[in-house]
Amino acid sequence: MKFQLPKYHEPDFTKPLFVDAPNAKLKEVTLDGVAPNNFHSTSMYPEYFKINGKWLLAEESRMDSSVVLSEDGKLMVVENRNLEKGQKVIIGRTEKAEEGIYMWCHGFEAKAQSKLDDQFVFRQGRSRETSYSKDYDKLISLLKYEKANEGYVVWVMGPAFSFDAKARSTMQALVENGYCQALMAGNALATHDLEGAYFHTALGQDIYTQESQPNGHYNHLDVDNKVREAGSIPAFIENEKIDNGIIYSCVKNNIPIVLTSSIRDDGPLPEVIADAYQGQMAMREQVKKATTVITLATMLHTIATGNMTPSFRKQKDGVIRPLYFYSIDADEFVVNKLIDRGSLSATTMVTNVQDFITKVASGLNVI
Amino acid sequence: MKFQLPKYHEPDFTKPLFVDAPNAKLKEVTLDGVAPNNFHSTSMYPEYFKINGKWLLAEESRMDSSVVLSEDGKLMVVENRNLEKGQKVIIGRTEKAEEGIYMWCHGFEAKAQSKLDDQFVFRQGRSRETSYSKDYDKLISLLKYEKANEGYVVWVMGPAFSFDAKARSTMQALVENGYCQALMAGNALATHDLEGAYFHTALGQDIYTQESQPNGHYNHLDVDNKVREAGSIPAFIENEKIDNGIIYSCVKNNIPIVLTSSIRDDGPLPEVIADAYQGQMAMREQVKKATTVITLATMLHTIATGNMTPSFRKQKDGVIRPLYFYSIDADEFVVNKLIDRGSLSATTMVTNVQDFITKVASGLNVI
Amino acid sequence: MKFQLPKYHEPDFTKPLFVDAPNAKLKEVTLDGVAPNNFHSTSMYPEYFKINGKWLLAEESRMDSSVVLSEDGKLMVVENRNLEKGQKVIIGRTEKAEEGIYMWCHGFEAKAQSKLDDQFVFRQGRSRETSYSKDYDKLISLLKYEKANEGYVVWVMGPAFSFDAKARSTMQALVENGYCQALMAGNALATHDLEGAYFHTALGQDIYTQESQPNGHYNHLDVDNKVREAGSIPAFIENEKIDNGIIYSCVKNNIPIVLTSSIRDDGPLPEVIADAYQGQMAMREQVKKATTVITLATMLHTIATGNMTPSFRKQKDGVIRPLYFYSIDADEFVVNKLIDRGSLSATTMVTNVQDFITKVASGLNVI
Amino acid sequence: MKFQLPKYHEPDFTKPLFVDAPNAKLKEVTLDGVAPNNFHSTSMYPEYFKINGKWLLAEESRMDSSVVLSEDGKLMVVENRNLEKGQKVIIGRTEKAEEGIYMWCHGFEAKAQSKLDDQFVFRQGRSRETSYSKDYDKLISLLKYEKANEGYVVWVMGPAFSFDAKARSTMQALVENGYCQALMAGNALATHDLEGAYFHTALGQDIYTQESQPNGHYNHLDVDNKVREAGSIPAFIENEKIDNGIIYSCVKNNIPIVLTSSIRDDGPLPEVIADAYQGQMAMREQVKKATTVITLATMLHTIATGNMTPSFRKQKDGVIRPLYFYSIDADEFVVNKLIDRGSLSATTMVTNVQDFITKVASGLNVI
């Protein structure tokens, strides 16, 4: 299967619907971090706003944020808490041009699509019983495409990923072979991955044999403590001559790592961003570059990332393309929750992430 | 990893514990299908009974059944419902030789085993977060061993297995390459696998593209109906020139298929055994030959099979070896339920069976 | 909340769509248990067939079955396996009168219904996070209505129901107070409920204190054996002076119990129907009378019952009313599976059935 | 059932084991936030340390922290990140007095306890199939005891709790009747509870009828924005005349609320503590007073709280009593994860928290 980007079709702004629409209204922020009444809130889809008679795209969008018209006439998508006094925010809560606001969900659809009109169709949801063969094939061809075309693939991981020796070494191989441009995770993934490198355990259990090690419950605490003593993850890696693992390979290959905090952290490692909202900003910096996002075995980080990931990306060359979002989890609940919260355009797969990653890497011939 | 069978150590029957023990008591069945009071019920482990001063092994055991001393002095393990008037059943509910009954759980353990004595050990259960790398390696080496040594591998499958094109063709490859000696399943697995061959769908959904087919909800009904018209699965395969799938490859390679009924069946296909207890007997005929059992994505069949599968097998050459039992399911609940019911010696893995099967087959180089 | 039955509106058969439609075509069965090609398969909804120029309702419907025109001009809905040579079966796979077949999904809807047209709506599925307050209120008022109006409430239960002392006594109270007209279950529910009465355990664990009893794993085997010895459940109840439990209260109050088999049964109890398809027929006999069906904690029986339960019931007085179907399970997967298989009109609730039953019974003032 | 606190038995420090043990060793912290090598890490159990020949209890303990000997001779349990240069930390990783460290797990056990010694015991885990009747009875009697004896009950909640009208009003009733001394949650619980008060929705869905409201996806954003505009939750409650809900009743009754952040937050509300580790400290301030902790429908907060909650509490009068920890979730995985992480002494219940809370409140006669 060879991957091909679908073309983006802009709305036809010469139609009366658009020509006759009013300009979007703006209102000034009067209090830092507070949006004006009736603020318009963004979705994951491309949205256009009529400004001085012209329809402008908010290029770097995300869900649940306000749209600010900057002084140089650009549209910025800003979380309400980051709004600043004096900024001009678009107001209005219609989306079909009535108030100069247009949400465009069908930009990547080919023209002639017919839908099945049966009254009974089985198995419309995504579950462990869904057939995923084609999804694997498509994802593998997508990742090849991204590598060949300077895509930016962001991986988002829960701690489980570091519990299995093979999953861990496979992810390392993906990093080393150019299939990962950024890693986002919490303190636990990083700690247990480094525990794997230092003690060959995760939470004290051997990552290959599953055998619990004597006093192994100290291992992650010792790793946290030693990294804190070293002052940084790279210093720890150098001091202790760490030579394997996910974190190691990211550091070695200059892949940015964003580690965000949670209230269940031990430690934390020095690089972890303690403030959740600064953490979100650091995550969004990566997402703003992303062309594909893959989240694995973490409800917290999956939903956090889903909230800030639009369905499209404007490339440097001006081309608008889909931003692909894959979410893999062993639990249908996580997958459904993502959809319940409005992240509708994700491809979700229900499986153990250990198996997922080895199948993908095998398809890419890196293991 | 090269597989090696562990050696079996018999209890040392020269010890006073055994020498001084009384003979096991027997009581006659007075009503067909009803055990005498205080009947001894078997476990999955090897159990020895002192008969006329000699300790005899019940060779073909299973859980929750009575032990009958046959006229030629052999011990048969018989479900209570299958007991016949006049048979002599062992009574007594102790297991440490007090009543001439001895259960032996440690026959396959090497002598010098030390156990970790920590008060705190994380992660003792089996979940999606368990490290399964070694389990995969071991299972793959075990299957190679079984093939090389005339083992008898019984696969037990839920319907989900036929929903994915790749899982289905992979299982076919395992059958064709000699890694499957018997298949046990329900009506649904067989129907949907044949639907896959005939319509390239499962419950009307394309097994590769996931697209729902027009009027696809008729597909499994049509398959059921056509096979019933043909009179048998092999006749249907011949009539319709079916040339792919799990059922097809079993038929072609003379692999026995045991299809048992359930109250949620449509159809059923002609081969399905309508009576649940006759179904159990047909299943046990296969299990009696099994050296490895693998159950996938079916709580019903997994527990049914687990109930009748002992932890050991006496080979034709007299050697006693472990009977390996693997249970794979996406849901921890199924895995825990197996253990809650007493099937303690299984290796359980929590993952999507589609991924499980492709990893195993890839390790065996059949795909 | 007072319950009120919604009124049923027949399609307006004076419309050209119906007047101009052809008569439905019929084809003869040539082989017992096999439908003719292109057989029409029923849904859970009311379906009308044009016979000799008149539109007739198939009154006792169920999913996935054929429609037979009897000699006296009535439409019978018959599972394909129960078709007999010479019967005339309706053929055709359209449902909008094109071939004289009309499926009617909107009979119970009030005229003026507007639907929300938002592009974004959160939480459309049913999960543990759905608000169930109103569903409880409605179900409680429905059950009061059924009791007052000679409704027929069928309860379908998994074994878990007998594991908790309070859930068990609560169900007994519902039976004794007239809220249960039939009980459908498997061997396990009945065995463990009787174990609860005889030993105060379920699978050897005290049903109130959770304490495992010495040699408790014998308890269910002993119960099975003793009931088999007695020859029937009522005989066992009399012999052993059983005076509590679900099964006891049904027997005492002449509530029909349908026990169907599965391949994971021990025993079974004498009343269990060994043949799955005879079991289905016995279940459908109850469902044919049902006005409300409630399934609890059993995937197997829930789907089996869902398959044979239509969305409507024609009362003796000729009135067509909804047949309410509630499915309660701790697992979203069961709930979603029910929907995946096409049982679309059920009200599903995700919770522990122990808590469900005590809330319902408390609302009905029976505990 | 009347609740009675179990008595605490100190170890018998006159035994040679303790008399002959060495004093515990101490080592100085040389870097803020970093423990010395071989630091001793605490458990949830009472631990005693031999200091100058006397065995001292670390009174305010928690898991995974260091023990600091203060200048006035007291033992403080301090998270490694909060260690300060110059503090003296106990080192040593044995727990049976070998190094002057003794962990005491059996302080609340009555003397004569015999354990069941069966080789087979079913159903040892906790699942949806566990019998919870006695757990409910015990919890209800415990809560009455706490109210009568100035206990301190800390409730920890996930957002699901605010999605159901009845669950929400029931929790309000528990607060108003003195059964809640502190509330810990995230931004989402508070936002959706206030959304419930302001719009009668949660995420735009009516909390009683389940109907999605027009443009309802704006509701939680509007609430967040309005509270931020008001400057605080109490100001919002006053401005908008909010008169119902969980948050409202806590504010009205001066119940402390600790809201901690997560990277998936919108908003946040002004009271949310952005820094995860400051959040932990605020939580631990509440836990230090707790006599009972109840966590509901939140994996994140449950594990965070479990990590910092010891199994015992020293009351002001010097009496040592159990600190009861209940964890309720619809998902066995959460429950098992708590145990996998070492929080072994919790009572876990698998059910929908809506039903849990109404059963408890009904038992306490507050609804």
Side-chain angles (χ1 to χ4, degrees):
Chain A
M1 188 190 271
K2 192 167 169 343
F3 184 80
Q4 206 163 3
L5 268 191
K7 271 214 175 122
Y8 181 72
H9 308 275
E10 276 217 326
D12 179 357
F13 289 118
T14 63
K15 283 188 179 167
L17 172 72
F18 298 105
V19 173
D20 300 346
N23 279 328
K25 282 196 196 119
L26 295 153
K27 212 168 174 178
E28 234 180 71
V29 174
T30 56
L31 203 57
D32 278 354
V34 178
N37 261 347
N38 201 32
F39 63 90
H40 175 78
S41 185
T42 48
S43 68
M44 74 178 66
Y45 294 106
E47 296 187 40
Y48 293 85
F49 301 87
K50 195 167 182 178
I51 307 290
N52 296 328
K54 291 188 66 174
W55 285 93
L56 299 185
L57 174 67
E59 296 184 1
E60 289 188 341
S61 197
R62 59 155 292 174
M63 280 208 305
D64 290 347
S65 295
S66 285
V67 182
V68 169
L69 181 66
S70 72
E71 302 207 346
D72 60 351
K74 290 228 163 165
L75 295 171
M76 303 182 306
V77 175
V78 180
E79 297 84 357
N80 285 353
R81 72 174 157 271
N82 293 325
L83 291 172
E84 292 169 18
K85 197 176 156 176
Q87 286 184 323
K88 283 175 185 151
V89 166
I90 287 176
I91 58 172
R93 295 185 171 183
T94 57
E95 291 149 347
K96 295 175 180 167
E98 304 92 322
E99 299 172 278
I101 301 168
Y102 191 74
M103 180 173 69
W104 180 224
C105 302
H106 307 293
F108 296 112
E109 289 174 11
K111 287 286 154 65
Q113 283 192 329
S114 68
K115 280 262 170 85
L116 190 60
D117 192 34
D118 274 23
Q119 299 219 40
F120 295 119
V121 177
F122 293 112
R123 301 168 59 211
Q124 291 301 79
R126 306 275 290 186
S127 80
R128 65 194 80 162
E129 296 191 344
T130 300
S131 169
Y132 292 118
S133 291
K134 192 184 175 190
D135 291 318
Y136 274 110
D137 288 348
K138 186 179 162 190
L139 175 58
I140 289 164
S141 72
L142 168 62
L143 290 174
K144 287 179 188 166
Y145 175 90
E146 296 289 29
K147 185 176 176 182
N149 293 276
E150 298 186 30
Y152 198 90
V153 183
V154 177
W155 296 75
V156 183
M157 283 179 194
F161 220 79
S162 58
F163 288 172
D164 177 65
K166 180 87 178 177
R168 194 173 158 274
S169 64
T170 299
M171 188 62 216
Q172 175 175 353
L174 286 167
V175 171
E176 290 172 350
N177 283 276
Y179 292 104
C180 170
Q181 279 65 51
L183 180 70
M184 311 207 297
N187 183 64
L189 179 277
T191 300
H192 295 307
D193 178 68
L194 293 172
E195 183 189 339
Y198 195 65
F199 289 113
H200 208 257
T201 61
L203 280 170
Q205 192 177 80
D206 189 282
I207 57 177
Y208 181 67
T209 67
Q210 299 173 5
E211 280 165 27
S212 295
Q213 299 305 302
N215 255 346
H217 65 285
Y218 272 102
N219 291 4
H220 72 287
L221 300 172
D222 279 342
V223 165
D224 267 337
N225 199 53
K226 276 185 183 300
V227 181
R228 291 174 65 89
E229 190 176 12
S232 75
I233 293 172
F236 171 76
I237 286 175
E238 179 149 343
N239 294 354
E240 304 292 345
K241 306 200 192 325
I242 299 299
D243 63 357
N244 69 84
I246 301 169
I247 297 296
Y248 161 77
S249 60
C250 286
V251 169
K252 201 181 80 177
N253 291 282
N254 296 312
I255 305 301
I257 304 172
V258 178
L259 298 179
T260 44
S261 69
S262 101
I263 54 167
R264 74 188 197 200
D265 292 345
D266 290 306
L269 299 171
E271 277 82 354
V272 174
I273 303 169
D275 181 302
Y277 311 112
Q278 289 179 16
Q280 282 190 16
M281 287 172 69
M283 290 171 74
R284 197 176 166 206
E285 283 313 299
Q286 296 304 323
V287 169
K288 279 182 175 173
K289 302 179 203 161
T291 52
T292 290
V293 172
I294 304 172
T295 74
L296 304 128
T298 162
M299 186 154 74
L300 177 63
H301 293 259
T302 294
I303 293 175
T305 308
N307 287 345
M308 64 179 67
T309 305
S311 64
F312 67 100
R313 165 71 49 242
K314 185 166 182 179
Q315 299 179 168
K316 286 174 207 155
D317 62 5
V319 170
I320 292 173
R321 55 160 280 176
L323 197 172
Y324 292 98
F325 193 102
Y326 285 81
S327 173
I328 294 87
D329 203 282
D331 192 346
E332 276 96 356
F333 185 67
V334 174
V335 155
N336 290 331
K337 187 136 182 155
L338 190 69
I339 290 167
D340 269 4
R341 302 271 161 171
S343 300
L344 303 160
S345 77
T347 299
T348 55
M349 300 172 72
V350 179
T351 190
N352 189 313
V353 292
Q354 301 173 24
D355 292 340
F356 170 82
I357 204 69
T358 48
K359 277 184 79 162
V360 169
S362 165
L364 293 169
N365 296 315
V366 307
I367 53 166
Chain B
M1 187 187 270
K2 194 165 167 343
F3 185 80
Q4 206 164 2
L5 268 191
K7 271 218 174 121
Y8 182 72
H9 307 275
E10 276 216 326
D12 179 358
F13 289 117
T14 64
K15 283 189 178 168
L17 171 73
F18 300 105
V19 173
D20 300 346
N23 279 328
K25 282 196 196 120
L26 294 154
K27 212 167 173 180
E28 233 180 73
V29 173
T30 58
L31 203 57
D32 278 354
V34 177
N37 261 347
N38 200 31
F39 63 91
H40 176 77
S41 186
T42 48
S43 67
M44 73 179 66
Y45 294 106
E47 296 186 40
Y48 294 84
F49 302 86
K50 195 165 182 179
I51 307 290
N52 296 327
K54 291 188 65 174
W55 286 93
L56 298 184
L57 173 67
E59 297 184 359
E60 289 188 342
S61 197
R62 59 155 292 172
M63 281 209 304
D64 291 345
S65 294
S66 286
V67 183
V68 169
L69 181 65
S70 71
E71 302 208 345
D72 60 352
K74 291 226 161 167
L75 296 171
M76 302 182 305
V77 175
V78 181
E79 297 83 359
N80 284 354
R81 72 174 156 271
N82 294 325
L83 290 172
E84 292 170 18
K85 197 176 158 176
Q87 286 184 322
K88 283 176 185 151
V89 166
I90 287 176
I91 58 174
R93 295 185 172 184
T94 57
E95 291 150 346
K96 296 174 180 167
E98 304 92 323
E99 299 172 280
I101 300 169
Y102 191 75
M103 180 173 69
W104 180 226
C105 302
H106 307 292
F108 296 112
E109 289 173 12
K111 288 286 154 65
Q113 281 194 332
S114 68
K115 278 264 170 84
L116 189 59
D117 192 34
D118 274 23
Q119 299 219 40
F120 295 119
V121 177
F122 293 112
R123 299 167 61 210
Q124 291 300 80
R126 306 274 291 185
S127 80
R128 64 193 82 161
E129 296 191 346
T130 300
S131 168
Y132 293 117
S133 290
K134 191 183 176 190
D135 291 319
Y136 274 111
D137 289 349
K138 184 178 164 191
L139 174 58
I140 289 164
S141 72
L142 168 63
L143 289 174
K144 287 179 188 166
Y145 175 90
E146 297 288 30
K147 185 176 175 182
N149 292 276
E150 297 187 30
Y152 198 90
V153 183
V154 177
W155 295 75
V156 183
M157 283 180 194
F161 220 78
S162 59
F163 288 173
D164 177 65
K166 181 86 178 177
R168 193 173 159 274
S169 64
T170 299
M171 189 61 216
Q172 176 175 352
L174 287 167
V175 171
E176 289 173 351
N177 283 277
Y179 292 104
C180 168
Q181 278 65 52
L183 179 71
M184 311 205 296
N187 183 63
L189 179 277
T191 299
H192 295 307
D193 178 66
L194 293 172
E195 182 189 339
Y198 195 67
F199 289 113
H200 208 256
T201 61
L203 280 169
Q205 192 179 79
D206 189 282
I207 56 177
Y208 181 68
T209 67
Q210 299 172 3
E211 279 164 28
S212 294
Q213 299 304 303
N215 255 345
H217 65 285
Y218 271 102
N219 291 3
H220 71 287
L221 300 172
D222 279 342
V223 165
D224 267 338
N225 199 54
K226 276 187 184 299
V227 181
R228 291 174 66 88
E229 190 177 11
S232 74
I233 293 172
F236 171 77
I237 286 175
E238 177 148 345
N239 294 353
E240 304 293 343
K241 306 200 193 323
I242 299 300
D243 62 358
N244 68 85
I246 301 169
I247 297 297
Y248 161 77
S249 59
C250 286
V251 169
K252 202 182 80 178
N253 292 281
N254 296 313
I255 305 300
I257 303 172
V258 178
L259 299 178
T260 45
S261 68
S262 101
I263 54 168
R264 73 189 198 200
D265 292 346
D266 290 305
L269 300 171
E271 278 83 355
V272 174
I273 303 168
D275 181 303
Y277 312 110
Q278 290 180 16
Q280 282 190 16
M281 287 174 68
M283 291 171 74
R284 197 175 167 207
E285 284 312 300
Q286 295 304 322
V287 169
K288 279 182 175 175
K289 302 179 203 162
T291 52
T292 290
V293 172
I294 304 173
T295 74
L296 304 128
T298 163
M299 185 153 76
L300 177 63
H301 293 260
T302 293
I303 293 174
T305 308
N307 286 345
M308 65 179 66
T309 305
S311 63
F312 67 100
R313 166 71 49 242
K314 185 166 182 179
Q315 298 178 169
K316 284 172 208 156
D317 62 5
V319 169
I320 293 173
R321 55 160 280 176
L323 197 172
Y324 292 98
F325 193 102
Y326 286 81
S327 175
I328 294 88
D329 203 284
D331 192 345
E332 276 98 356
F333 185 68
V334 174
V335 155
N336 290 331
K337 188 135 181 155
L338 190 69
I339 291 167
D340 269 4
R341 302 270 162 172
S343 301
L344 302 160
S345 77
T347 298
T348 55
M349 300 172 72
V350 178
T351 189
N352 189 313
V353 292
Q354 300 173 25
D355 292 340
F356 169 82
I357 203 71
T358 49
K359 277 184 78 162
V360 169
S362 166
L364 292 169
N365 296 315
V366 307
I367 55 165
Chain C
M1 188 188 268
K2 193 166 168 345
F3 185 80
Q4 206 164 3
L5 268 191
K7 271 216 174 123
Y8 182 72
H9 307 275
E10 275 217 327
D12 179 357
F13 289 118
T14 64
K15 282 189 180 167
L17 172 73
F18 299 105
V19 173
D20 300 346
N23 279 328
K25 282 196 195 122
L26 294 153
K27 213 166 173 180
E28 234 180 73
V29 173
T30 57
L31 203 57
D32 278 354
V34 178
N37 261 348
N38 199 32
F39 63 90
H40 175 77
S41 186
T42 48
S43 67
M44 74 178 65
Y45 294 106
E47 296 186 41
Y48 293 85
F49 302 87
K50 195 166 182 179
I51 307 290
N52 296 327
K54 290 188 67 174
W55 286 92
L56 299 184
L57 174 66
E59 297 183 0
E60 289 188 341
S61 197
R62 58 155 293 173
M63 281 207 305
D64 292 346
S65 294
S66 285
V67 182
V68 169
L69 181 65
S70 71
E71 302 208 345
D72 60 351
K74 292 227 162 165
L75 295 171
M76 303 182 305
V77 176
V78 181
E79 298 84 359
N80 285 353
R81 71 174 157 272
N82 293 326
L83 290 172
E84 292 169 18
K85 195 174 158 178
Q87 286 184 322
K88 282 175 186 153
V89 167
I90 287 176
I91 58 173
R93 296 185 170 184
T94 57
E95 291 149 347
K96 296 175 180 166
E98 304 92 323
E99 300 171 279
I101 300 169
Y102 191 75
M103 180 173 69
W104 180 224
C105 302
H106 306 292
F108 295 111
E109 290 173 13
K111 287 287 153 64
Q113 282 193 331
S114 67
K115 279 264 171 84
L116 190 60
D117 192 33
D118 275 22
Q119 300 219 39
F120 295 119
V121 177
F122 293 112
R123 300 167 60 209
Q124 292 301 81
R126 306 275 290 186
S127 79
R128 64 193 81 160
E129 296 191 344
T130 300
S131 168
Y132 292 117
S133 290
K134 192 183 175 191
D135 291 319
Y136 275 110
D137 289 349
K138 184 178 163 192
L139 174 57
I140 288 164
S141 71
L142 168 62
L143 290 174
K144 287 178 188 167
Y145 175 89
E146 297 288 30
K147 184 175 175 182
N149 293 276
E150 297 186 30
Y152 199 90
V153 183
V154 177
W155 296 76
V156 183
M157 284 179 193
F161 220 78
S162 58
F163 289 173
D164 177 65
K166 180 87 177 177
R168 192 172 160 276
S169 64
T170 300
M171 189 61 215
Q172 176 175 351
L174 287 167
V175 171
E176 290 172 350
N177 283 277
Y179 292 104
C180 169
Q181 279 64 53
L183 179 71
M184 310 206 296
N187 183 64
L189 179 279
T191 300
H192 295 307
D193 178 67
L194 293 173
E195 183 189 340
Y198 196 67
F199 290 113
H200 208 256
T201 60
L203 279 169
Q205 192 178 80
D206 188 283
I207 56 177
Y208 181 68
T209 67
Q210 299 173 4
E211 280 164 28
S212 294
Q213 299 305 303
N215 254 346
H217 65 284
Y218 271 102
N219 291 4
H220 71 286
L221 300 173
D222 278 343
V223 165
D224 266 338
N225 198 54
K226 276 186 184 300
V227 181
R228 292 174 66 87
E229 190 177 10
S232 74
I233 292 173
F236 171 77
I237 286 175
E238 177 148 345
N239 293 352
E240 305 292 344
K241 308 202 191 322
I242 299 299
D243 63 358
N244 69 85
I246 302 169
I247 297 297
Y248 160 77
S249 60
C250 286
V251 169
K252 201 182 80 177
N253 292 281
N254 296 312
I255 305 299
I257 303 172
V258 178
L259 299 179
T260 44
S261 69
S262 101
I263 54 168
R264 74 190 197 199
D265 292 345
D266 291 305
L269 300 170
E271 278 81 355
V272 174
I273 303 169
D275 181 301
Y277 312 110
Q278 291 180 15
Q280 282 190 15
M281 287 173 69
M283 291 171 73
R284 197 176 166 206
E285 283 313 300
Q286 295 305 322
V287 170
K288 279 182 175 175
K289 303 179 203 161
T291 53
T292 290
V293 173
I294 303 173
T295 74
L296 304 128
T298 161
M299 185 153 76
L300 177 63
H301 293 259
T302 294
I303 293 174
T305 308
N307 286 345
M308 65 179 65
T309 305
S311 63
F312 66 100
R313 164 74 47 243
K314 185 165 183 179
Q315 298 177 169
K316 283 173 208 156
D317 62 6
V319 170
I320 292 173
R321 55 160 280 177
L323 197 172
Y324 293 97
F325 193 102
Y326 286 81
S327 174
I328 294 88
D329 203 284
D331 191 346
E332 276 97 356
F333 185 68
V334 174
V335 156
N336 290 330
K337 187 134 182 157
L338 190 69
I339 291 167
D340 269 5
R341 301 271 160 171
S343 299
L344 301 161
S345 77
T347 298
T348 55
M349 300 172 73
V350 179
T351 190
N352 189 312
V353 292
Q354 300 173 23
D355 292 341
F356 169 82
I357 203 71
T358 49
K359 278 184 78 162
V360 169
S362 167
L364 293 168
N365 296 316
V366 306
I367 55 165
Chain D
M1 188 188 270
K2 194 167 168 344
F3 185 79
Q4 207 164 2
L5 268 192
K7 270 214 176 124
Y8 182 72
H9 308 274
E10 275 216 328
D12 179 358
F13 289 119
T14 64
K15 284 189 179 166
L17 172 74
F18 299 105
V19 173
D20 300 345
N23 279 329
K25 282 196 195 121
L26 295 153
K27 213 169 175 177
E28 234 181 70
V29 173
T30 57
L31 204 57
D32 277 355
V34 177
N37 261 349
N38 200 32
F39 62 90
H40 176 76
S41 187
T42 49
S43 68
M44 73 178 67
Y45 294 106
E47 296 187 40
Y48 293 85
F49 302 87
K50 195 166 183 180
I51 307 290
N52 295 328
K54 291 187 65 175
W55 286 93
L56 300 185
L57 173 67
E59 296 184 359
E60 289 188 341
S61 197
R62 59 155 292 173
M63 280 208 306
D64 291 347
S65 294
S66 285
V67 182
V68 168
L69 181 66
S70 71
E71 302 209 345
D72 60 351
K74 291 227 162 165
L75 294 172
M76 303 182 305
V77 175
V78 181
E79 297 83 358
N80 285 353
R81 72 174 157 272
N82 293 325
L83 291 173
E84 292 169 19
K85 196 176 156 177
Q87 286 183 322
K88 282 175 186 151
V89 166
I90 288 177
I91 57 172
R93 296 187 170 183
T94 56
E95 291 149 347
K96 296 175 180 165
E98 305 90 324
E99 300 171 279
I101 300 169
Y102 190 75
M103 180 172 70
W104 180 225
C105 301
H106 306 292
F108 295 112
E109 290 174 13
K111 289 286 153 63
Q113 281 193 332
S114 67
K115 279 265 170 83
L116 190 61
D117 192 34
D118 274 24
Q119 300 220 38
F120 296 119
V121 177
F122 293 111
R123 300 167 60 210
Q124 292 301 79
R126 305 276 290 185
S127 80
R128 64 193 81 161
E129 297 191 344
T130 300
S131 168
Y132 292 117
S133 290
K134 192 185 176 191
D135 291 317
Y136 275 110
D137 289 349
K138 184 179 162 191
L139 175 58
I140 288 164
S141 72
L142 168 62
L143 289 175
K144 287 179 188 167
Y145 175 89
E146 297 288 30
K147 185 176 175 182
N149 293 276
E150 296 187 30
Y152 198 90
V153 182
V154 177
W155 295 76
V156 183
M157 282 178 194
F161 220 78
S162 58
F163 288 173
D164 176 66
K166 180 88 178 175
R168 194 173 159 274
S169 64
T170 299
M171 189 62 216
Q172 176 175 351
L174 287 167
V175 171
E176 290 173 349
N177 284 277
Y179 292 104
C180 169
Q181 279 64 52
L183 180 71
M184 311 207 295
N187 183 63
L189 179 278
T191 300
H192 295 307
D193 178 68
L194 294 172
E195 182 189 340
Y198 196 66
F199 289 114
H200 207 256
T201 61
L203 279 170
Q205 193 178 80
D206 189 282
I207 56 177
Y208 181 68
T209 67
Q210 299 173 4
E211 279 166 27
S212 296
Q213 299 305 303
N215 255 347
H217 65 285
Y218 271 102
N219 291 4
H220 71 288
L221 301 173
D222 279 342
V223 165
D224 267 338
N225 198 54
K226 275 186 184 301
V227 181
R228 292 174 64 87
E229 190 176 10
S232 74
I233 293 172
F236 171 77
I237 285 176
E238 179 150 342
N239 293 354
E240 305 292 345
K241 308 199 191 325
I242 298 300
D243 62 357
N244 68 86
I246 302 168
I247 297 297
Y248 160 78
S249 60
C250 286
V251 169
K252 201 181 79 178
N253 292 282
N254 296 313
I255 305 301
I257 303 172
V258 178
L259 299 179
T260 45
S261 69
S262 101
I263 53 168
R264 75 188 196 199
D265 292 346
D266 290 307
L269 300 171
E271 278 82 354
V272 175
I273 303 169
D275 181 301
Y277 312 112
Q278 290 180 15
Q280 282 190 16
M281 286 172 68
M283 291 170 74
R284 198 176 166 207
E285 283 313 300
Q286 296 305 323
V287 170
K288 279 182 175 174
K289 302 179 203 161
T291 52
T292 290
V293 173
I294 304 173
T295 73
L296 304 129
T298 161
M299 186 153 75
L300 177 63
H301 294 258
T302 294
I303 293 174
T305 308
N307 286 345
M308 64 179 66
T309 304
S311 63
F312 67 99
R313 163 76 46 243
K314 186 167 181 179
Q315 298 178 170
K316 284 174 208 155
D317 62 5
V319 170
I320 292 173
R321 56 161 279 177
L323 197 172
Y324 292 98
F325 192 103
Y326 285 82
S327 175
I328 295 87
D329 203 284
D331 192 346
E332 276 97 356
F333 185 67
V334 174
V335 156
N336 290 330
K337 186 135 182 157
L338 190 69
I339 291 168
D340 270 3
R341 302 271 160 171
S343 300
L344 301 161
S345 76
T347 298
T348 55
M349 300 172 72
V350 179
T351 190
N352 189 313
V353 292
Q354 301 172 25
D355 292 341
F356 169 81
I357 203 71
T358 47
K359 278 184 78 162
V360 169
S362 166
L364 293 168
N365 295 314
V366 307
I367 54 167

